[in-house]
Amino acid sequence: MKSAKEFAAWLMERFESHSNVWLTRNDITELTSRQSVRSEFIHDVHCELMNYGRALIADIKNNRYYMVSLSDTYWKDVGDIYAEQTNKADQTNKTLNSANTVERFPGDAQNSRVRPLRK
């Protein structure tokens, strides 16, 4: 039986040149020689992969586990593509710190409420 640390190291060694791959639950069971795969084991593998700049994402519905590369780009550094373009002159005068600000999420115009399905 492979530990989460051993399995994460094996994944990185095996798929170092492939940034995004997916495995099934059966694949993980077979590769680790385990009788079953528990969510705690997947979490531990995920934590170990974080040390390599990767993550293990579970898609329980489809019984797939995705090993993906983590990004170094902070979302505010990319900018808010949905922000209204006001005045280009104002945008050029912004400082570096204020250039990364994002508009607040708009409120609910209908003032709708979330209601439980059952009473």
Side-chain angles (χ1 to χ4, degrees):
M1 177 183 305
K2 287 186 179 178
S3 69
K5 189 172 193 168
E6 291 172 329
F7 186 56
W10 181 86
L11 284 171
M12 286 306 302
E13 181 181 313
R14 181 79 174 192
F15 301 109
E16 188 172 11
S17 61
H18 295 83
S19 59
N20 300 312
V21 296
W22 62 270
L23 303 113
T24 65
R25 179 179 287 275
N26 291 338
D27 293 335
I28 295 173
T29 303
E30 183 180 332
L31 291 168
T32 59
S33 303
R34 292 176 169 265
Q35 291 180 352
S36 65
V37 176
R38 298 180 58 133
S39 60
E40 293 84 5
F41 178 73
I42 297 300
H43 177 265
D44 291 345
V45 172
H46 168 78
C47 290
E48 291 297 331
L49 285 172
M50 295 289 287
N51 296 323
Y52 298 103
R54 303 280 178 96
L56 191 64
I57 310 298
D59 179 5
I60 303 300
K61 181 181 175 191
N62 296 316
N63 244 0
R64 288 186 178 182
Y65 297 88
Y66 298 90
M67 186 176 77
V68 297
S69 295
L70 300 176
S71 175
D72 291 333
T73 306
Y74 183 58
W75 71 278
K76 286 186 179 180
D77 292 341
V78 175
D80 186 2
I81 62 172
Y82 298 106
E84 292 182 31
Q85 299 295 326
T86 54
N87 186 353
K88 288 190 177 188
D90 290 339
Q91 290 179 357
T92 56
N93 293 332
K94 288 183 180 180
T95 63
L96 179 61
N97 290 336
S98 65
N100 290 333
T101 59
V102 179
E103 293 179 10
R104 288 182 67 79
F105 192 76
D108 186 3
Q110 290 82 26
N111 292 325
S112 59
R113 292 187 213 166
V114 177
R115 295 185 186 100
L117 295 174
R118 298 180 187 160
K119 292 185 179 181

